[in-house]
């Protein structure tokens, strides 16, 4: 809605009503989710992923039109990704190698915490061919895992397993960077990698939805996600040796991944199933100068990005402890937020087993999926009803989603009891829901 309409809506909204809207059943858990129940990840914002693609396009445009190994556009791409991860709290490492007489770079980003003996790795190659900017191949995979990593940071995800992200160099020369990484990884460290997930081409303009048929657990995880959104998938059969999962598979590490198709043609049966154009390549600009930001299908990119988050959260989840210890209580049940109303939505977490008062640095993890987040007023309610304002409504804040961690001085509150996240949507016209609410006691 336009700001003027919002202002009139604001005037129409009186004082906050006490009524709570369809409060979800409390599903407090000491530490992050364990067991077989699926874990709900945050939504990966298509807007954010596309912004990363626009940035990679700008980098290519400013560096001779490509982001290829050994060219200035590749190093600029690596520096761009590394800066975002450093700012988000990842431990980053640049690994150099030489190929075809030029220096290549792998970027490894570790999320602090989790079991170092169980590493879930997520990777994409960041290099393009020399012919063009490589936005679908493979800016799409690189941007999708970058935004997933940033979502891990924004929500302060605390998985049981250790999370490691990687952006590979010189894949187009024959998986050179990823092979260099695996070959130089001590055998003991290789055995700690419980799975490697590869994402190379996720936004093909005439997309297919292909799941790698390698490790059955990883394959099933992706299939479960796609079944959940009613999108049929096919097994990716011809790609075994054609991307960065190959060196990991050769080293006996379980692998999996997603792919939206390259130079081969979509069949009539596939067009029937997925839409798009039969008798046409999944990506007509594969390895061509036209592989620009115009060469991406938004639906494919969004679905695949969300599938990555689903896999990361579910393959790495468990009784997570925050970096440096502590206890997490969470409620991952979605709660719809009434649009433009005096009613509120609440998500409840029952804290038990904590002695004494809450800390002065209580971490409040908030994940609200909602367009135009300026509509939202967000409060934390202590067990005795005390209100801690987390976020005020701000009619001019048009960005989507509230996915962040607040630090609250709750030292005057008894720790144990029912803590509530309360959300009011004060303007009509944009909608959303509470995706998860998390309290971390250090
Ligand atoms: N070789 C990849 C593109 C590619 C072709 N088939 C597959 C199958 C699975 C993953 C990737 C691919 C490239 O040009 O980067
Ligand atoms: Ca999304
Ligand atoms: Zn390629
Ligand atoms: Zn590729």
């Amino acid at each position: 809605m336009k700001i003027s309409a919002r202002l009139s809506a604001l005037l129409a909204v009186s004082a906050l009503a006490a009524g709570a809207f369809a409060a979800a059943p409390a599903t407090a858990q000491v530490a992050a989710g364990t067991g077989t129940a699926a874990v709900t990840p945050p939504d990966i914002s298509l807007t954010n992923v596309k912004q990363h693609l626009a940035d990679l396009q700008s980098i290519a445009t400013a560096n001779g039109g490509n982001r290829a190994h050994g060219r200035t556009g590749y190093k600029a791409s690596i520096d761009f990704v590394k800066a975002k991860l450093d700012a988000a709290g990842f431990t980053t490492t640049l690994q150099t190698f030489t190929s075809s007489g030029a220096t290549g770079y792998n970027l490894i980003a570790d999320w602090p915490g989790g079991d170092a003996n169980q590493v879930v790795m997520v990777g994409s190659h960041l290099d393009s061919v020399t012919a063009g900017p490589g936005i679908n191949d493979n800016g799409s995979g690189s941007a999708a895992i970058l935004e997933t990593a940033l979502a891990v940071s924004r929500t302060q995800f605390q998985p049981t397993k250790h999370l490691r992200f990687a952006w590979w160099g010189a894949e187009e020369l024959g998986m050179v960077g990823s092979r260099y990484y695996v070959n130089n990884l001590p055998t003991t460290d290789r055995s700690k990698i419980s799975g490697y997930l590869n994402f190379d081409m996720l936004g093909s303009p005439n997309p297919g939805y292909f799941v790698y048929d390698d490790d059955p657990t990883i394959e099933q995880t992706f299939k479960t996600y796609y079944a959940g959104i009613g999108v049929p998938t096919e097994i990716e059969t011809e790609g075994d040796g054609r991307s960065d999962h190959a060196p990991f598979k050769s080293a006996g590490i379980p692998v999996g991944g997603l792919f939206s198709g390259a130079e081969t043609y979509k069949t009539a049966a596939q067009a029937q199933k997925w839409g798009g154009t039969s008798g046409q390549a999944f990506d007509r600009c594969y390895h061509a100068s036209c592989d620009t930001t115009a060469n991406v299908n938004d639906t494919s990119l969004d679905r695949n990005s969300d599938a990555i988050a689903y896999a990361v959260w579910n393959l790495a989840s468990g009784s997570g402890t925050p970096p440096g210890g502590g206890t997490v209580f969470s409620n991952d049940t979605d709660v719809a937020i009434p649009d433009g109303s005096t009613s509120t939505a609440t998500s409840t977490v029952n804290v038990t087993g904590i002695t004494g008062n809450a800390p002065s640095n209580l971490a409040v993890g908030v994940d609200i999926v909602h367009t135009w987040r300026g509509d939202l007023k967000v409060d934390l309610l202590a067990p005795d009803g005390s209100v801690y304002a987390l976020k005020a409504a701000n009619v001019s804040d048009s960005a989507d989603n509230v996915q962040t961690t607040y630090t609250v001085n709750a030292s005057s509150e008894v720790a144990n009891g029912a803590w509530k996240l309360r959300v009011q949507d004060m303007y009509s016209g944009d909608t959303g829901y509470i995706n998860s609410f998390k309290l971390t006691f250090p």
Side-chain angles (χ1 to χ4, degrees):
M1 277 176 70
K2 292 283 178 288
I3 286 184
S4 53
R6 286 181 183 286
L7 285 175
S8 56
L10 174 59
L11 295 174
V13 172
S14 58
L16 179 64
F21 177 81
T27 54
Q29 295 156 318
V30 177
T34 54
T36 55
V39 173
T40 308
D43 172 70
I44 300 304
S45 158
L46 174 66
T47 304
N48 293 356
V49 176
K50 292 186 73 175
Q51 183 56 56
H52 301 324
L53 291 182
D55 293 337
L56 292 173
Q57 176 71 64
S58 301
I59 288 171
T61 304
N63 288 275
N66 70 70
R67 299 181 305 100
H69 164 74
R71 306 294 179 86
T72 53
Y74 180 73
K75 183 62 168 57
S77 300
I78 275 281
D79 292 343
F80 162 74
V81 174
K82 183 178 188 295
K84 287 191 176 291
L85 293 162
D86 288 337
F90 282 81
T91 304
T92 60
T93 307
L94 262 186
Q95 180 184 49
T96 60
F97 58 88
T98 300
S99 182
S100 304
T103 301
Y105 302 87
N106 292 328
L107 175 64
I108 312 299
D110 285 280
W111 179 242
D115 180 355
N117 294 310
Q118 296 185 82
V119 179
V120 173
M121 267 197 89
V122 180
S124 288
H125 76 85
L126 186 56
D127 63 310
S128 74
V129 292
T130 54
I135 298 306
N136 185 38
D137 182 19
N138 183 39
S140 62
S142 294
I145 70 167
L146 171 60
E147 189 56 27
T148 302
L150 296 178
V152 164
S153 172
R154 268 195 296 270
T155 58
Q156 287 294 294
F157 180 41
Q158 289 124 25
T160 298
K161 296 177 183 170
H162 178 78
L163 277 182
R164 180 173 299 150
F165 293 79
W167 288 262
W168 306 118
E171 185 273 349
E172 300 290 5
L173 281 70
M175 290 83 77
V176 175
S178 53
R179 182 172 293 108
Y180 182 87
Y181 174 81
V182 173
N183 291 348
N184 288 275
L185 201 57
T187 309
T188 50
D189 289 345
R190 280 190 203 174
S191 62
K192 294 174 183 176
I193 300 176
S194 57
Y196 171 73
L197 312 181
N198 192 62
F199 303 101
D200 183 357
M201 300 180 74
L202 299 181
S204 302
N206 187 24
Y209 293 89
F210 297 99
V211 177
Y212 293 12
D213 63 337
D214 289 289
D215 176 73
T217 302
I218 299 173
E219 177 185 346
Q220 189 53 56
T221 300
F222 286 123
K223 282 178 167 177
T224 300
Y225 172 76
Y226 271 102
I229 61 170
V231 173
T233 58
E234 288 187 9
I235 289 305
E236 163 42 54
T237 50
E238 52 92 18
D240 274 3
R242 292 191 61 176
S243 191
D244 295 302
H245 57 302
F248 289 85
K249 184 172 183 177
S250 303
I253 294 168
V255 302
L258 298 172
F259 175 56
S260 56
E263 78 282 9
T264 57
Y265 282 28
K266 182 180 278 186
T267 66
Q270 289 171 328
Q272 185 68 30
K273 176 166 34 177
W274 290 323
T277 309
S278 66
Q280 185 182 99
F282 293 103
D283 180 354
R284 288 186 292 181
C285 289
Y286 175 60
H287 285 186
S289 59
C290 56
D291 187 6
T292 66
T293 45
N295 186 50
V296 170
N297 176 285
D298 286 359
T299 303
S300 172
L301 183 61
D302 190 25
R303 286 171 172 170
N304 283 320
S305 299
D306 289 330
I308 294 171
Y310 182 85
V312 166
W313 260 254
N314 280 281
L315 291 171
S317 267
S319 53
T321 52
T327 308
V328 177
F329 297 82
S330 68
N331 186 341
D332 295 332
T333 304
D334 294 357
V335 185
I337 303 166
D339 182 26
S341 169
T342 56
S343 297
T344 60
T346 59
S347 175
T348 303
V349 159
N350 283 319
V351 172
T352 57
I354 302 289
T355 308
N357 281 13
S360 57
N361 59 342
L362 177 64
V364 184
V366 173
D367 179 4
I368 300 168
V369 177
H370 195 288
T371 49
W372 203 295
R373 66 184 174 205
D375 288 7
L376 303 179
K377 179 178 185 298
V378 184
D379 296 313
L380 173 69
L381 274 61
D384 68 357
S386 306
V387 180
Y388 292 81
L390 301 178
K391 176 193 175 294
N394 171 6
V395 73
S396 58
D397 181 0
S398 62
D400 295 339
N401 307 331
V402 181
Q403 292 167 328
T404 190
T405 298
Y406 299 93
T407 300
V408 173
N409 179 356
S411 54
S412 63
E413 305 294 341
V414 172
N416 293 332
W419 293 74
K420 295 180 190 297
L421 182 73
R422 184 179 68 191
V423 184
Q424 184 192 357
D425 176 351
M426 300 181 74
Y427 306 103
S428 58
D430 284 88
T431 59
Y433 60 94
I434 300 172
N435 190 28
S436 73
F437 165 40
K438 221 182 276 292
L439 293 178
T440 302
F441 289 75

